[in-house]
Structure formats: C-alpha cells, structure tokens
Amino acid sequence: MVNTIIETKDLKKYFNTLKGPCKAVNKVNLKIKEGETFGLVGESGCGKSTLVRTILKLIEPTSGQIFLDGVDITDYKKKQLMALRKKMSLVFQDPHSSLNPRMTVFDTLSRPLKIHNLTKNNQETMIEITKLLKLMGMQPEHMIRFPHELSGGQKQRIGIARALAVKPELIFLDEPTSALDVSVQTKILKLLNKTKKIRDLTYFYISHDINLIRVVSDRIGVMYLGQIVEIGKVDLIYNNPIHPYTKGLFASVPEPDPDKKIKGEPLSGEVPSPVNPPMGCSFAPRCPFVGPKCREEKPQLKLLSDGRRVACHKDNLK
Amino acid sequence: MSEVNVEEIKMELANLKNKKSSQLSLVWKRFKSNRLALLGFVFVMIIIFIAIFAPFLTPYKPYATDPSNRLMGPSRTHLLGTDSLGRDVLTRLFYGSRIALQIGVLIILFEGFIGIMMGVLSGFFGGVIDSIIMRLVDILRSFPVIILAMAIAGIMGQGIYNVVIALGIVGWTTYARMVRSKILSIKEADYIEAGYSIGESTYSIITRYIVPNAIPTAIVMISIMMPTALIASATLSFLGLGVQPPTPSWGSMVAAGRNYLLQAPWISTSAGFFIMFTVLGFNFIGDGLRDALDPTTKH
Amino acid sequence: MSKLLDINDLKVYFNTEEGVVKALAGVNFKIDKGSFHGLIGETGCGKSVTGLSILKLLDNNALIEGGKIIYKDENLLDKTEKQMQRDFRGNEIAMIFQDPGSSLNPVFTIQDQIQESVKMYKKASKQEYRNIVIEELKKVKLPDVEGLLDKYPHQLSGGMKQRVMIAMMLACNPNLLIADEPTTALDVSIQAQFLQVLKNLKEKFDMTVLYITHDLAVVSEICDYVSVMYAGRIVENVPVRELFKNPIHPYSYKLVHSVLGVKTLLENLEEIPGSVPRLIDPPSGCRFHPRCEEATDICKTKVPQLKKIGKNHYVACHRR
C-alpha cells in the first residue's frame, strides 16, 4: 500500500473583492501518493496556482482541511510551519523574478540551509551547495554570480536547487518551463526527472501545457473554475477524455503535425468570472451537452469503473 | 558523489571574484557615460572643495567688516565686490557653501531616515499602519510646504538645526510615499514568495529581500531631494527665518543684496548663481544616478 | 504565385552600452501573396526585430547596416519616415503584437478605434461608419458585435482584445499582416478560437500573413511556409510539411524534435547542448557551430549561404 502524502478535504480559498468573494479554489478533494508525479492542468485563472499555495500554507485556506502524511496541517502556525517548509517546497514559473536580484547564487542557496540548520558552518554550506550545483549540471564558479549574470535555464536550475536544498519529500512545480525556450525546456524536464529518481521525490506539477503534463505525470487532474472536473491515470484520460471540458481542452491543443489540424472551435465562449460562478456545473454555459440539471446542481466527482473520477451529470459516462 | 574539495573551490572563487567587475563599478561606468551627470559631479565636487578649503582660498574673513569699502564693485582686490558692511562677497559665498552643504546633508539625513522607515513600515505591513502613516502624509502635504516650514521656524526660532527640523517635518513625506510604492511593487515579486516558501521570517524578508532591493530607489531619491532641500533652506534664509545673520548663507545674502540691487547688483546675483550652480549639479547627479542604478527605466 | 515581400540580406545592428549587438546578420526570405509565412525561432534570435524592420519601427539605437526589403517592387529601406507613415503603415502593411492590451487606446471605445482606421481611406456618414465597423468585427467572429461597440478595451478579455486588434488592422485593408506572437498570452482554448479566425480570413479574404512565433505547433497549424531563424540568420526556408517530415538544418531538426506532441515521450525529446549565443560577440562562421554535433572546421570560419536543396526548400549549412 502506497502512502498518501498530501490530502485535501473540501478545500476552499475565497478572496475578498469589491464585487464579492472570488472563489479561486472551490471545494477541492485531492490525494497525492508518495513517489508519484501528479499533474494538474488548467487554463489561466482556474485556481491551480492558488490551490498549490494554499496547500503549501503560503496563503490561509478559507475552509476545508489539508493533511500532510496523515497529519492535519490546516491550522499550523509559525514554528510548525517551519517543519512543514522542510517537507514541501516550490519551484516557480518565472526564473527571472523568482530569484532575489541582490543575492548571489551562494546566498540564495545558503538561505534554506541556514534557516533549517542543515549545515553547521560555512565549510559545510559550501560543500552542500557545490553538490546541489553539480546535481543541476552547474559549476561551483556559479556561486558568486548574480541572477542577471545567468541565462534563463541556469536561473531555473538555481530555482530548482533552492527547492531541493531542504531535502523535501514533495516538490510543487508551478509551470517550471513555460518561461523558457523549447530547447531549454527539454533539458529542465529531463533534469527534473533524473533528480526525482536520485532524491526519491514526489512531484506535483501544475501547467497550462497539456502535452507537458502528459509526458511528466503518472496521474493528472483537470481543473476548471476552482474545481477539479476530471482526475485519474494519465493514459486513461488522454486516450479517452470524458468530461466535456477535458475533451474540448485537449482538442484545442495544436499538434506539431501539419496534417493534423484543430477541427473548428473545440471550446466556444470564455471562462466565466470566479467572482460569480454559474449556479450549477461551472462548465454548463459552455457545455455542448448541457441539460437542465447541469444549471441547477453542482456535480460531484464520481468514481468510474476504470478508476478515474469525473464531475459531470451525464449518465452514460465512458 | 565525489568528495568536494572546499579549499580548491574557495581559491577558484577568490580568483574569479578578482576578475569580475563589481556591480558598483558597473554603475560607475554607466554614470560616467552620461555627460550631464559627470558635469553635475564636477559642479558638486567644486562646491565641496570650496567648502572644505574656504579659509585657504581667500585672504579675507567672512565677518570682517570694512566700512570704508562699502558696496564696492568687483575689482582686483575684491573679485565680486563688497556688501553693505564692506565684507568681501566672494569670501562670504565661499563660507556660505559650508552652511549650505551642512544644512542640505542634515535635512537629507533627517527626512530620509524618517521617510524611508515610514515608507517601509507602511508598504510592508499595509492595513491600519499604512492608513495611519499615509493619512499623516496627506495632512502634512495639504499645507503649502514653505508656509508650514515658516510657521515651524517662526515658533522654534532661527538657527541651523531649527531649519533642518522645520523642513524635515514636511520633507519626509516625499520619501515615505516613494519608498512605499517601491516596497509595494517589490512585495509582489516572486522572490518574496520564494523567501516565505523556504521558511524565511518576516524580519529576514524585510532585511534580506525587500530593503536591499529598495536601496537604489532610496539613493536616487536622496540625490534628487538634495536640491529641493537646498532651495528650501535658501528660501527660509531669504525670508529671514533661517540662518541668522551675520552667518554667511546664500539665501540671506540674496535678501541682503536686494536692497542694493541697483547700486550693487553683484551681491544678489552672485549668491543666486551659487545656489543655481549647486542645485543644478545635484540635479544632474540625481538624473544620472537614476539611469545608472536602474537601467530599465531607459527606453 | 507572385511574391509580395522579398527580404534580401537584411542586416540590423543595435548600439548598446555594452557594444554593438548584431541582431540581424543577413536575413533572407520571400513571402508569396496569399500565403501564411511562419517565422520561427527562440527568444532573442531576431524574429521580432525582423518584423519591426519591415515597418521601420525600430528603436533609435538601431542601425540598418545593409540589405533590401522589397515590397511590391519598392525597397522600403529607401523610404522616408513620412512616406512609410503615409503609404505603407496600416494601409499596406499592418502589425499586431503579443500584448493586445497595450496596443489599444484605453480611453476610446472599440467603435472609435476601428473607425479611426476606416477614416484613413474612406469618408462616410456616422451610420455608414457604424455599419463598416460592425462588418469588420463580424469578420473576426466576435460575438454580440452591437453590444461591443461602446465598450472600452479594459472591459474585454485578452482573446477578444486580440480579435479587436485584428479587426482594427483589417479595417485599413492591408495587403500584408505581420503578427508577432499574437497568441502567446492567450489560453489554449482561446488560442484555438483565434487560430480559427485567422484560418477563416485566409480562406475568405486571401490574406497574406507573416506569423512570428516560437511555437512550432501553432506554425504547423496555420502556416504554409516557414523560415527558421537562429541567432540573427535564417537557417532554413522550407514548406511547412517538409519542415516537420524532413528538417534538414541540424538546428531545425533539433527544434522540431524538441516539441511536445500528443504522442511524444520525454526520452525521445531532443535537447540542444549549450545555450543561445550573445549577439554582442556571436560565433564566427555558422552561428550554430558551437552547439552543432556535426560541425567541422569550415563551419567555424565560413558563413554558410542558403542553397536550394528541393522544391522551395533552402538550407544554410555546410554539411548538407
């Protein structure tokens, strides 16, 4: 039996706005198993970044619970949070803005080591940082560089090294390659894959890039307007998406093959505002199969025979 | 993983560090390439030189009156003539630069310290603290600056320190506002969230992440505020509320010369020129520093 | 097919405080009338500079060092700023940018902005203008066009703004549309809608488009012909099918095989060693040679020229 490392129960995060509460994360139930790579895919504004930051306790949840290794961490404060920071870390999307421009690579990487007393003196810090840099395919000479002296790919390697420094169990990767060129993207993805094996890690990717999520993940979740609409094994969902949103989303992705074109407009309309989400199913206004029930009642995730879960009122889900 | 040889790495890094040009030298390089900034730098250096070596640059004493030589025009013995008490104008201008710089620096330190601190508090913590500080700023700024300073100087009496306090009480608001907005934008940067995500304390976030990134803004602001401080103190002196005569201050010299503007125009004009020269110098430096420290503001 | 634009050995340098950046060092390609021409390359390869050069919208520190931009028999590089503004920008060649928000004027309504473009070539009554604007907006398949007219840019979403931008550009009836990363800021579903609009324009109005992007999948979706750019030079001019089936230049090959498709596996993805060179002191000879596995001595010394290797297929490589 594989352990569950993270679990959320009815997790909600609302932001107050002038027009009313913005329901960024609206009742999310999620389980991440130890050692797996989970990929959360969704378009901008669907709440995936907020969800991750809420789980990391960088922002306070509005309601619901978060469990780490079976322990409820929802109400953790200061000291307890410190212990948490050693178990989970975060890699940011934009390497250009996620490194402090006034800190050298050495300073950036030594901070987590010092905060958590992982090294006793400068000597040990230096050894640890050298090891981290080597793991990232970089040289000790990079220690004295400032972020602006590094290329985009190198900056992201430092961002990953910072997340690895505390020897976490779980790393959240928030679009780790979307700010990078394709040739660099491949290198970073392969590096992350290798690191996962060496360090025995669990990964939680979030991205809007559907193909990227597919190549890296074991299991994926599709998020729409603060809710997870479909979740399950990656091959299952890719080969046969069931939720109408998942279907439309996948069909919208251009394929690098001139003989395969997108047919028509897979998803019409636009994402509604999370401040005033639709009454029933949040996808109802754009759904080609919408029925009367969809507009009144929110569908819950249902377990299908193949092991995936889908939040849709349609009966003949296959 | 192979053993890491720390000593070797340290040596290597030390070597590299020597070769690498520091950020400071880069800023200086950019600053140098700006002609106006360099000109401003030369202007200010001249004034500082005059202030330091005033006694050696002139044979006269600033307070030495000579009633037989009142209101003499410029001549070989008195390059810029004499004033109504027969004092050498150039000498008084030279000594006046001491007063001007002294007041300028004191004002900058006083208002800069208060302003930057208030700005950091207001920007970082937001909420009630922000509201209180910002409303205070609004109130102070709703008075015409010079009238408020006059009132304060009038209550507290004349003298260098009172001028500094009078101007500083209003002046810090500009710093507070600028620093606050800078902090607000820094706060949004990903590296702040990254700091929290590795477990940094609030104190560390302020001192290691926010303040170092706000320093360039503060430096630029100080160099831009310097001329404002100089003009404001000169204005107070001109109005008779600043430095007390017979202390040689440029502002009071302009005022004193005003009565003899037709007979002895050199008194007011030369004092005015010194004010302009210094203010221009600091202005050029301020603009140059802004471009040099933050190259992104350039097109 | 007749050619509309012919860029010949275009060289553009930039003066910066660190030195001269040789952003474009010999760009060559032709755009046929009615074709969708993709210009693809990674960040900093000079693809946007190429687009801006055509309209002569480069910054003040740019120097056009040489070459020709022949648009319908006229060399645009010989034109004065006045001539460009009067005869070419907008009415002949129009451009849309990545960030639609910053290209629309926030204080005018959608109707006002598009009307402005229409006024450039046509005098009409208020009602006529309104009808023309509605027609233009319908061309880009915007929903509820009537309701849109009196809205301001901030009331629209990114995808809608981008479509309004196109409508505005189309209103001047340009012969060539330059689109610089128009969908990079959009979500996939909105991007799909936008690409649909472009495809539609191609079919119905025979538009010619220069599509600048880093996204190969988008290129495969809408382009007929592609120019692959690396570090300021074109390395391959190729029909789109050929590019994906048979990329010849080592860089194009790597690029095509580093794109994620629906069936790719991480292990099969190609990576390019090293990183993009700084154009302040670019590599000698072929600029790709330091990262190329097949490079020989000649690649280090001699700049490869584009040579024909198939129908409409040109490659700049010594090893092919």
Side-chain angles (χ1 to χ4, degrees), chain A residues 23 26 43 98 142 154 163 168 179 194 217 234:
Chain A
K23 299 170 180 171
N26 204 354
E43 299 182 277
S98 65
H142 286 116
Q154 287 174 327
K194 194 183 88 187
S217 310
V234 65

Side-chain angles (χ1 to χ4, degrees), chain A residues 42-45 48 151 154 157 177-191 193 205 208-216 238-239 245 248-271 286, chain C residues 41-44 141 157-160 163 185-193 195-197 199 214-223 240-242 244-245 251 255-276 291:
Chain A
E43 299 182 277
S44 56
K48 53 191 193 303
S151 72
Q154 287 174 327
R157 284 161 201 256
T177 63
S178 70
L180 305 172
D181 278 318
V182 269
S183 67
V184 185
Q185 165 172 304
T186 315
K187 281 189 243 180
I188 297 288
L189 291 180
K190 286 186 175 172
L191 181 68
N193 228 10
Y205 272 93
H208 67 279
D209 186 334
I210 285 123
N211 283 322
L212 183 144
I213 285 292
R214 183 183 57 76
V215 297
V216 297
Y238 271 89
N239 293 334
Y245 175 66
L249 185 66
F250 288 3
S252 300
V253 183
E255 180 61 18
D257 180 347
D259 293 320
K260 287 184 193 147
K261 306 272 183 189
I262 301 171
K263 289 181 193 73
E265 235 173 67
L267 279 174
S268 58
E270 300 198 353
V271 186
R286 301 172 78 186
Chain C
E42 294 177 280
T43 316
K141 296 198 158 184
S157 68
M160 282 162 90
R163 281 195 242 181
L186 306 179
D187 275 320
V188 269
S189 67
I190 308 300
Q191 170 176 286
Q193 293 171 5
L195 295 178
Q196 188 60 32
V197 168
K199 282 188 215 164
H214 69 279
D215 190 338
L216 270 168
V218 171
V219 162
S220 83
E221 186 66 29
I222 59 160
C223 292
V240 73
R241 279 202 171 70
E242 276 295 298
F244 285 91
K245 284 207 184 88
Y251 176 67
L255 205 58
V256 167
H257 291 91
S258 63
V259 185
L260 288 162
V262 97
K263 290 225 154 57
T264 16
L265 297 173
L266 191 53
E267 303 85 71
N268 301 342
L269 283 181
E270 289 281 349
E271 41 185 304
I272 308 178
S275 56
V276 179
R291 307 175 73 186

Side-chain angles (χ1 to χ4, degrees), chain B residues 126-204:
Chain B
V128 182
I129 297 178
D130 182 33
S131 298
I132 293 174
I133 295 176
M134 281 303 120
R135 292 305 77 76
L136 188 62
V137 167
D138 290 342
I139 291 168
L140 282 171
R141 295 194 65 122
S142 60
F143 292 103
V145 178
I146 210 71
I147 307 244
L148 187 62
M150 274 169 67
I152 297 168
I155 295 166
M156 294 198 305
Q158 297 169 324
I160 292 184
Y161 295 104
N162 289 345
V163 170
V164 170
I165 292 169
L167 289 172
I169 280 177
V170 188
W172 68 268
T173 55
T174 313
Y175 292 83
R177 273 197 179 164
M178 295 264 291
V179 169
R180 173 179 177 269
S181 71
K182 182 70 191 171
I183 302 278
L184 286 180
S185 78
I186 294 175
K187 242 170 76 177
E188 290 303 308
D190 282 350
Y191 58 83
I192 301 298
E193 195 176 35
Y196 283 119
S197 82
I198 58 166
E200 293 278 19
S201 63
T202 309
Y203 177 76
S204 280

Side-chain angles (χ1 to χ4, degrees), chain B residues 8-259:
Chain B
E8 207 172 274
I9 293 170
K10 272 187 187 161
M11 289 272 287
E12 197 185 326
L13 291 183
N15 274 335
L16 277 171
K17 249 182 207 161
N18 288 334
K19 274 186 232 155
K20 213 173 106 172
S21 56
S22 71
Q23 288 194 300
L24 215 62
S25 69
L26 197 75
V27 168
W28 174 238
K29 207 180 124 196
R30 286 205 205 103
F31 184 82
K32 261 197 318 192
S33 66
N34 184 339
R35 272 190 212 157
L36 274 185
L38 212 56
L39 190 70
F41 186 72
V42 172
F43 279 15
V44 170
M45 278 301 151
I46 291 173
I47 291 294
I48 292 176
F49 178 84
I50 290 174
I52 294 172
F53 296 105
F56 306 103
L57 297 175
T58 155
Y60 305 100
K61 291 268 171 293
Y63 303 112
T65 55
D66 182 359
S68 59
N69 278 328
R70 295 178 66 237
L71 300 174
M72 295 254 291
S75 65
R76 207 172 272 183
T77 43
H78 296 284
L79 284 176
L80 288 174
T82 58
D83 66 6
S84 58
L85 295 173
R87 296 173 296 198
D88 182 54
V89 170
L90 189 63
T91 303
R92 287 182 63 77
L93 287 173
F94 279 3
Y95 279 89
S97 62
R98 290 183 163 188
I99 305 291
L101 289 182
Q102 207 179 333
I103 293 186
V105 169
L106 283 175
I107 291 176
I108 291 296
L109 288 179
F110 180 67
E111 62 185 16
F113 179 74
I114 299 179
I116 290 171
M117 233 172 50
M118 290 295 193
V120 170
L121 287 176
S122 181
F124 185 78
F125 291 103
V128 182
I129 297 178
D130 182 33
S131 298
I132 293 174
I133 295 176
M134 281 303 120
R135 292 305 77 76
L136 188 62
V137 167
D138 290 342
I139 291 168
L140 282 171
R141 295 194 65 122
S142 60
F143 292 103
V145 178
I146 210 71
I147 307 244
L148 187 62
M150 274 169 67
I152 297 168
I155 295 166
M156 294 198 305
Q158 297 169 324
I160 292 184
Y161 295 104
N162 289 345
V163 170
V164 170
I165 292 169
L167 289 172
I169 280 177
V170 188
W172 68 268
T173 55
T174 313
Y175 292 83
R177 273 197 179 164
M178 295 264 291
V179 169
R180 173 179 177 269
S181 71
K182 182 70 191 171
I183 302 278
L184 286 180
S185 78
I186 294 175
K187 242 170 76 177
E188 290 303 308
D190 282 350
Y191 58 83
I192 301 298
E193 195 176 35
Y196 283 119
S197 82
I198 58 166
E200 293 278 19
S201 63
T202 309
Y203 177 76
S204 280
I205 291 285
I206 295 182
T207 55
R208 290 174 193 274
Y209 293 73
I210 290 184
V211 170
N213 282 291
I215 281 177
T217 312
I219 293 177
V220 171
M221 218 157 39
I222 283 175
S223 61
I224 287 175
M225 287 296 282
M226 186 71 180
T228 316
L230 286 173
I231 292 208
S233 73
T235 311
L236 280 190
S237 299
F238 177 83
L239 295 170
L241 290 161
V243 183
Q244 214 157 0
T247 315
S249 93
W250 295 339
S252 55
M253 287 175 74
V254 175
R258 198 180 40 162
N259 300 329

Side-chain angles (χ1 to χ4, degrees), chain A residues 25-77:
Chain A
V25 174
N26 204 354
K27 262 184 124 180
V28 167
N29 291 292
L30 201 62
K31 272 185 191 172
I32 310 296
K33 297 192 198 82
E34 210 177 302
E36 77 170 337
T37 300
F38 181 79
L40 186 62
V41 68
E43 299 182 277
S44 56
C46 72
K48 53 191 193 303
S49 284
T50 309
L51 173 64
V52 160
R53 279 156 179 76
T54 313
I55 297 176
L56 273 163
K57 295 276 292 165
L58 287 170
I59 44 184
E60 287 296 311
T62 306
S63 68
Q65 287 167 296
I66 310 161
F67 298 89
L68 175 67
D69 292 327
V71 184
D72 188 343
I73 60 164
T74 322
D75 297 321
Y76 269 25
K77 292 275 171 310

Side-chain angles (χ1 to χ4, degrees), chain C residues 104-294:
Chain C
L104 291 170
N105 190 335
V107 297
F108 288 111
T109 61
I110 302 305
Q111 149 121 23
D112 289 339
Q113 315 219 11
I114 298 177
Q115 197 167 299
E116 227 19 68
S117 311
V118 180
K119 273 184 187 164
M120 280 169 59
Y121 69 93
K122 195 168 188 175
K123 280 212 163 25
S125 70
K126 225 176 165 187
Q127 189 55 43
E128 277 174 315
Y129 274 139
R130 200 179 163 85
N131 292 337
I132 296 173
V133 170
I134 289 175
E135 274 313 300
E136 294 298 339
L137 288 174
K138 276 186 181 156
K139 275 189 201 166
V140 292
K141 296 198 158 184
L142 277 161
D144 183 27
V145 171
E146 305 260 344
L148 217 61
L149 290 177
D150 297 321
K151 287 203 167 141
Y152 289 90
H154 73 266
Q155 294 170 297
L156 308 184
S157 68
M160 282 162 90
K161 273 188 241 172
Q162 197 59 289
R163 281 195 242 181
V164 168
M165 271 307 293
I166 294 221
M168 205 164 120
M169 291 305 152
L170 294 182
C172 330
N173 272 323
N175 286 307
L176 173 64
L177 180 70
I178 302 173
D180 189 358
E181 304 263 10
T183 63
T184 306
L186 306 179
D187 275 320
V188 269
S189 67
I190 308 300
Q191 170 176 286
Q193 293 171 5
F194 181 82
L195 295 178
Q196 188 60 32
V197 168
L198 281 186
K199 282 188 215 164
N200 189 45
L201 290 175
K202 182 183 183 177
E203 273 164 34
K204 284 199 183 137
F205 304 97
D206 198 31
M207 281 288 298
T208 311
V209 175
L210 173 62
Y211 199 98
I212 300 171
T213 182
H214 69 279
D215 190 338
L216 270 168
V218 171
V219 162
S220 83
E221 186 66 29
I222 59 160
C223 292
D224 309 312
Y225 196 85
V226 186
S227 294
V228 183
M229 201 162 178
Y230 181 78
R233 290 208 184 100
I234 301 290
V235 296
E236 190 161 355
N237 281 328
V238 53
V240 73
R241 279 202 171 70
E242 276 295 298
L243 175 66
F244 285 91
K245 284 207 184 88
N246 186 22
I248 300 292
H249 195 282
Y251 176 67
S252 318
Y253 180 87
K254 294 267 186 186
L255 205 58
V256 167
H257 291 91
S258 63
V259 185
L260 288 162
V262 97
K263 290 225 154 57
T264 16
L265 297 173
L266 191 53
E267 303 85 71
N268 301 342
L269 283 181
E270 289 281 349
E271 41 185 304
I272 308 178
S275 56
V276 179
R278 281 158 45 87
L279 296 181
I280 266 188
D281 61 305
S284 59
C286 172
R287 286 183 168 183
F288 188 59
H289 85 255
R291 307 175 73 186
C292 183
E293 286 151 7
E294 301 173 51

